[in-house]
Amino acid sequence: MKLLIARPMTSAVEARARAEFDVEIRENTMPMSQQEMLSALAEFDVVVPTLGDQFSAQVFGDADKPRCKLLANFGVGYNHIDVDAARSAGLEVTNTPGAVTDATADIAMTLLLTTARRAGEGERLVRSGQWQGWHPTQMLGHHVSGKRVGIVGMGRIGQAIARRCHFGFGMQVAYQSRSAKDLDFPAEFMPQLQSLAASVDFLVLAVPGGAETRHLIDAHILEAVSPSAILINIARGEVVDEAALISALQSGQIAGAGLDVYEFEPSVPQVLCDMENVTLLPHLGTATEEVRSSMGHMALDNVAAFVAGRTLPNPV
Ligand code: NAP
């Protein structure tokens, strides 16, 4: 059984992969090219791909009777893989749910607090040497405690964010999801996204990417948002119509945004970089040593189950 891992991993994960499998670990940190994906499907039994590796219907169409039988994705989001096309080509797909939940919720709160309290702008001010000292009206931001947060996508990460907001900051929680949830904290289910958007101080996106959620946040929804509200996106860039968001920020239709992900990642529009009221992170959601190791182990658990002919722990 030949395994390809598409990116360098933490040392713990690489050590386990080398001990347990006949593995090749790609040294390049950039996404695989179409040609690399085709070669991987032809030459390996299992591939561990990740964000940016666009396993599209065309790639599976071009791969003639692929040797590869499992894509054990590193990451919970798998919108870069056309799962139906993979299945038609005889491949199974797994992901790494759960391992990423708390770290990603922490990054959502980092963005929420940083944007609301103007922490990025303040940090830039101190570093610039231009800070002239404290005064009662210096850099007034948005209060967070007790405010109303709207979570779009009340799944694992959405619930972890909601818990932090409720228990940590005394916030009122409202949410939209495909279905209402049985939760152990108070939260108002609002099935209409537009009504939710109109009712909150912070709108936090935690849905999966893909065709169903592309541009879920468009000009129409942004029009509904209060001019004092802040949008936080830790989901996928394509969930937000980035051009509409930029217009809404420029016109003051929305007060600010905290973004971990971008529609055309890693390209970030200069106009966003020039705005003081946005916080821009380089897709840091799961970026801790512990979490990346847990994700890697989870991906390898799926590989091990596949090799042993056992039921896959995390099929998508
Ligand atoms: P999850 O447990 O599957 O939760 C997703 C939630 O989204 C579910 O509550 C689902 O509703 C809801 N949903 C799905 N489609 C929807 C739609 N069209 N409209 C409204 N709600 C919809 O997934 P998760 O583990 O929380 O992860 C969520 C996403 O976060 C991942 O798919 C990934 O793209 C992203 N993520 C980002 C980072 C980062 O580094 N920034 C890290 C990890 C994950 P139902 O429960 O009602 O079906």
Side-chain angles (χ1 to χ4, degrees):
M1 198 288 293
K2 280 186 70 186
L3 169 66
L4 175 70
I5 299 182
R7 301 287 188 288
M9 292 280 148
T10 62
S11 46
V13 172
E14 290 198 356
R16 175 178 164 195
R18 291 190 204 287
E20 290 185 21
F21 306 107
D22 176 3
V23 65
E24 186 175 315
I25 302 175
R26 197 167 157 268
E27 285 177 14
N28 195 336
T29 57
M30 302 295 283
M32 299 168 90
S33 67
Q34 181 139 339
Q35 191 48 53
E36 281 181 293
M37 288 184 282
L38 283 174
S39 303
L41 292 177
E43 292 164 21
F44 293 86
D45 301 283
V46 177
V47 176
V48 174
T50 193
L51 184 92
D53 297 330
Q54 299 294 340
F55 278 93
S56 62
Q58 193 188 334
V59 169
F60 294 113
D62 290 350
D64 187 29
K65 296 198 183 70
R67 169 175 171 173
C68 183
K69 294 287 175 264
L70 173 66
L71 292 182
N73 188 56
F74 178 88
V76 64
Y78 51 86
N79 54 309
H80 51 283
I81 300 171
D82 188 321
V83 175
D84 290 340
R87 285 196 188 115
S88 302
L91 284 86
E92 294 182 87
V93 181
T94 58
N95 68 344
T96 61
V100 303
T101 301
D102 284 327
T104 311
D106 291 346
I107 281 292
M109 297 313 292
T110 305
L111 285 168
L112 192 153
L113 289 164
T114 303
T115 311
R117 300 302 307 275
R118 301 173 64 178
E121 186 184 350
E123 228 254 351
R124 287 188 287 278
L125 179 67
V126 172
R127 285 177 190 272
S128 75
Q130 302 298 309
W131 181 39
Q132 295 183 336
W134 187 95
H135 63 84
T137 56
Q138 185 210 205
M139 287 194 67
L140 304 184
H142 298 253
H143 195 59
V144 173
S145 293
K147 291 290 178 69
R148 182 171 166 92
V149 63
I151 313 260
V152 183
M154 197 62 139
R156 287 171 293 251
I157 296 170
Q159 289 179 36
I161 296 168
R163 277 200 187 86
R164 283 157 173 74
C165 289
H166 170 73
F167 293 109
F169 295 90
M171 297 172 85
Q172 303 158 43
V173 177
Y175 71 98
Q176 192 243 1
S177 250
R178 289 177 298 194
S179 55
K181 307 291 169 204
D182 187 13
L183 302 165
D184 59 2
F185 52 86
E188 181 185 355
F189 178 51
M190 297 185 71
Q192 294 302 323
L193 179 54
Q194 202 179 354
S195 311
L196 176 77
S199 77
V200 297
D201 301 296
F202 299 95
L203 190 65
V204 183
L205 310 181
V207 287
E212 213 185 300
T213 56
R214 186 174 175 274
H215 288 189
L216 194 65
I217 304 299
D218 58 8
H220 189 57
I221 297 294
L222 289 165
E223 266 170 37
V225 172
S226 151
S228 61
I230 289 172
L231 178 78
I232 305 297
N233 188 10
I234 55 82
R236 283 288 181 265
E238 70 207 32
V239 175
V240 177
D241 178 344
E242 204 163 79
L245 173 63
I246 289 168
S247 298
L249 287 162
Q250 283 171 329
S251 68
Q253 210 169 61
I254 174 171
L259 308 174
D260 192 38
V261 288
Y262 305 88
E263 188 166 6
F264 305 105
E265 200 170 312
S267 167
V268 179
Q270 186 58 43
V271 62
L272 279 179
C273 299
D274 293 340
M275 289 178 186
E276 288 289 14
N277 56 340
V278 299
T279 307
L280 306 171
L281 295 182
H283 205 142
L284 289 184
T286 61
T288 73
E289 173 89 21
E290 295 94 321
V291 171
R292 291 284 163 81
S293 286
S294 298
M295 292 165 69
H297 283 303
M298 203 177 246
L300 293 182
D301 289 344
N302 281 283
V303 178
F306 172 81
V307 172
R310 284 185 274 114
T311 306
L312 297 174
N314 309 105
V316 303

